[in-house]
Amino acid sequence: MFTGIDIGGTNTDIALVDGDIQTIKVSNSKGLELALEAAGRDGRLAISTSQPLNAMVTGNIGRIRTITIPGPGLMYGGAVKGAVGPRGDILEPVDTEEIERLLRGCRADGIAIVGKFSVRNPIQEEIVRDIARLFFDDEQIATSAPLGGLNFPARITTTRINAGIKAKVAALSKKIRTTHPDSLFVTSDGGLCGHDRAIENPSLLYHSSPATVAIGAGYLSHKKNCLVVDIGGTTTDLVPIKEGKPIFETLFVQGKRTLVQAVSAETVPLGGDSCIRDELMQFRSGNARAFGGTEPTLTDALNVLGADIGDTSRSCCLDPKKAEDAYRKYLEKLGAIIHQMDPIMIVGAGFLAPYLIPDLANEARVRFFVPDHAGSANAVGAAVSRISIKIHAHADSQRGVLTLNGIEHPLPTGMSDEELLTHTGELVRAMAKSEGAPPKDLHELVTSQYSAYNVVRGGRIQARITDFVIGIAPGITCEAP
């Protein structure tokens, strides 16, 4: 049994995949506990949610105190004494008294700790973190070494985000693990990760809903090249699929680059719960009247125009002319965007896909397909995704250290480059296996950004330095029926 939960802006969708597919929709007003109960406890559970991460986009992450350890001569906000060299050697110690003075009486919602080369040796970040724990809860403190990437400014921005949302993700994790301790989270690239990894680097969870709808729509439709149009209650997401895979892009927050790689998606602030006042509005104020709400919405407009969704009698208060105008506005707005994106085909997803996609395709002058269970494509995608992992590896033969996302491992002596890749691959497989990845999902490793050079002094090779990124790519688990 593979179970997926997608917590959207209006409803929580549940999909149970075990040969057949069963879907359940639960209103968010009824609470996550009810959704977890409906999901049951058999098999594997994966959860997609962007609720704790909304602050990432708006920049509303509270007051964050950033402590940087850039090294001598480099000017960054929050800079303190201390330095780690590019090979992980300590060039200047941290002044612990300076850190205590900074944090004593500090009023902040989160602490972000970022060393320039902490991904090569995290010891100085760990020293500052241990001092910060004297004044703040662990859920308020984020370090940058687990992010792996060398880009210092992007790592600062990402760590600040993590410091602002870590407590929310930790609280959500605690609630879920009460009943489902071995469950998983969907990440921004459509893979899965364990709770500990999500809490350590919560920005991993950003944009998980577009990622899951891309995988779910592909799984349900078997279309390799298309544009997935996911019609939700609050928004409509447009997710391009090429050669069976979504497109990835780097997340920028308030103009600043992060280390987050997320599925590319265009989000339009119109959905089934968009209010109709004088015209169709780009916000929701609750459910459609057909589902107990107080204001007419696009869903109610569909009922007035002949659909049969929920309690149609409650939609009749909407003037037919306003209903038609709202419907046309939605079609024209989305149709123009889709037409400009010029897809081969659109694949519908979301509860309203059967009602809106045919006319939307006609407006955009493109072919369409609405698969069975389209209304819960996000949850299906969460259910059938596989555990993925991305590791930034740095090997220094002279130090005898292999650093994987800021964590040091012993490096056996005399390894060839090929043996190093094999050895690191086994460590990566072990990490994924510890989170529950089945053996069949661990066969194929992806390696990129490989570089290696010798350090030569006095005409003799002193060290071999190797950097590469290795991991298990996101996709559909081999065990999915």
Side-chain angles (χ1 to χ4, degrees):
M1 175 75 74
F2 292 86
T3 304
I5 290 180
D6 179 71
I7 306 173
T10 305
N11 296 305
T12 293
D13 286 306
I14 304 165
L16 298 93
V17 183
D18 187 12
D20 294 328
I21 298 175
Q22 303 175 52
T23 59
I24 305 167
K25 192 175 291 287
V26 178
S27 171
N28 286 352
S29 62
K30 296 183 179 179
L32 177 60
E33 290 82 3
L34 182 61
L36 292 171
E37 182 180 340
R41 302 195 186 188
D42 295 331
R44 190 193 75 175
L45 173 63
I47 299 166
S48 168
T49 176
S50 58
Q51 286 191 347
L53 312 178
N54 292 336
M56 287 181 66
V57 179
T58 63
N60 183 25
I61 56 174
R63 297 171 298 177
I64 306 301
R65 179 66 165 91
T66 304
I67 297 176
T68 59
I69 315 172
L74 295 177
M75 303 299 293
Y76 282 89
V80 298
K81 292 180 182 178
V84 170
R87 291 181 59 185
D89 46 329
I90 304 300
L91 303 180
E92 180 183 63
V94 169
D95 184 340
T96 56
E97 292 184 359
E98 177 188 19
I99 304 302
E100 286 189 28
R101 286 196 302 271
L102 284 174
L103 294 177
R104 185 176 289 111
C106 174
R107 294 184 178 181
D109 299 303
I111 303 295
I113 305 166
V114 194
K116 182 171 175 59
F117 286 108
S118 61
V119 294
R120 301 284 169 78
N121 184 348
I123 185 63
Q124 293 193 334
E125 282 192 358
E126 292 170 357
I127 290 171
V128 176
R129 180 197 61 197
D130 289 343
I131 297 172
R133 283 172 170 165
L134 301 174
F135 306 97
F136 294 88
D137 294 335
D138 198 51
E139 288 78 10
Q140 296 175 281
I141 305 167
T143 58
S144 82
L147 303 180
L150 268 177
N151 187 313
F152 190 40
R155 196 151 28 94
I156 292 173
T157 301
T158 310
T159 308
R160 282 179 53 82
I161 290 169
N162 284 345
I165 63 178
K166 185 177 180 181
K168 293 180 181 179
V169 173
L172 178 64
S173 171
K174 183 178 180 180
K175 182 182 292 187
I176 294 169
R177 284 201 275 195
T178 300
T179 55
H180 296 77
D182 297 323
S183 56
L184 300 160
F185 280 112
V186 180
T187 63
S188 59
D189 62 4
L192 303 180
C193 73
H195 285 250
D196 290 343
R197 186 150 51 109
I199 294 171
E200 184 178 53
N201 181 13
S203 60
L204 277 175
L205 309 186
Y206 174 74
H207 238 207
S208 62
S209 286
T212 52
V213 82
I215 291 175
Y219 177 81
L220 293 170
S221 70
H222 306 290
K223 306 299 182 185
K224 298 290 186 182
N225 294 282
C226 61
L227 177 68
V228 178
V229 180
D230 180 24
I231 306 169
T234 308
T235 63
T236 298
D237 290 330
L238 308 175
V239 188
I241 305 293
K242 290 189 177 181
E243 301 302 324
K245 298 178 181 178
I247 300 167
F248 299 106
E249 61 185 10
T250 299
L251 172 68
F252 284 77
V253 174
Q254 294 189 332
K256 295 182 178 180
R257 183 188 182 95
T258 74
L259 293 178
V260 179
Q261 289 291 308
V263 167
S264 176
E266 182 163 348
T267 298
V268 181
L270 291 172
D273 289 338
S274 295
C275 292
I276 299 175
R277 293 181 179 172
D278 291 334
E279 60 178 355
L280 183 65
M281 311 302 290
Q282 294 188 2
F283 60 83
R284 71 184 293 268
S285 64
N287 293 338
R289 283 186 57 83
F291 291 101
T294 57
E295 291 197 59
T297 68
L298 180 60
T299 299
D300 296 303
L302 290 172
N303 280 340
V304 172
L305 297 175
D308 185 9
I309 307 169
D311 184 353
T312 57
S313 65
R314 286 183 50 82
S315 302
C316 294
C317 67
L318 180 61
D319 178 75
K321 175 78 167 53
K322 278 191 175 183
E324 177 67 31
D325 289 346
Y327 185 55
R328 288 304 315 166
K329 179 177 179 178
Y330 180 85
L331 293 181
E332 290 171 3
K333 174 77 171 178
L334 270 296
I337 297 172
I338 293 170
H339 182 69
Q340 188 174 18
M341 297 176 79
D342 194 26
I344 296 172
M345 167 184 285
I346 62 173
V347 172
F351 179 68
L352 294 181
Y355 303 95
L356 289 168
I357 291 296
D359 285 347
L360 195 53
N362 183 60
E363 182 75 24
R365 300 190 293 281
V366 65
R367 293 183 296 135
F368 75 91
F369 181 74
V370 180
D372 292 340
H373 308 291
S376 298
N378 300 63
V380 171
V384 302
S385 292
R386 68 174 173 230
I387 290 174
S388 69
I389 192 167
K390 182 178 180 181
I391 297 294
H392 294 257
H394 174 78
D396 187 329
S397 64
Q398 187 175 38
R399 293 183 63 222
V401 171
L402 173 63
T403 307
L404 305 178
N405 281 10
I407 299 176
E408 293 188 348
H409 299 260
L411 178 64
T413 58
M415 273 192 168
S416 66
D417 290 356
E418 185 176 345
E419 289 170 334
L420 173 62
L421 287 172
T422 300
H423 174 68
T424 307
E426 290 306 311
L427 294 175
V428 170
R429 288 188 175 100
M431 294 175 193
K433 188 176 180 180
S434 71
E435 293 186 353
K440 289 182 179 179
D441 284 352
L442 302 178
H443 293 317
E444 186 178 351
L445 293 174
V446 179
T447 304
S448 62
Q449 301 178 34
Y450 182 89
S451 67
Y453 64 91
N454 294 324
V455 177
V456 180
R457 290 196 180 97
R460 299 182 61 183
I461 296 175
Q462 300 292 321
R464 178 76 168 170
I465 307 297
T466 312
D467 288 285
F468 55 96
V469 176
I470 186 169
I472 298 168
I476 295 172
T477 175
C478 292
E479 295 194 341

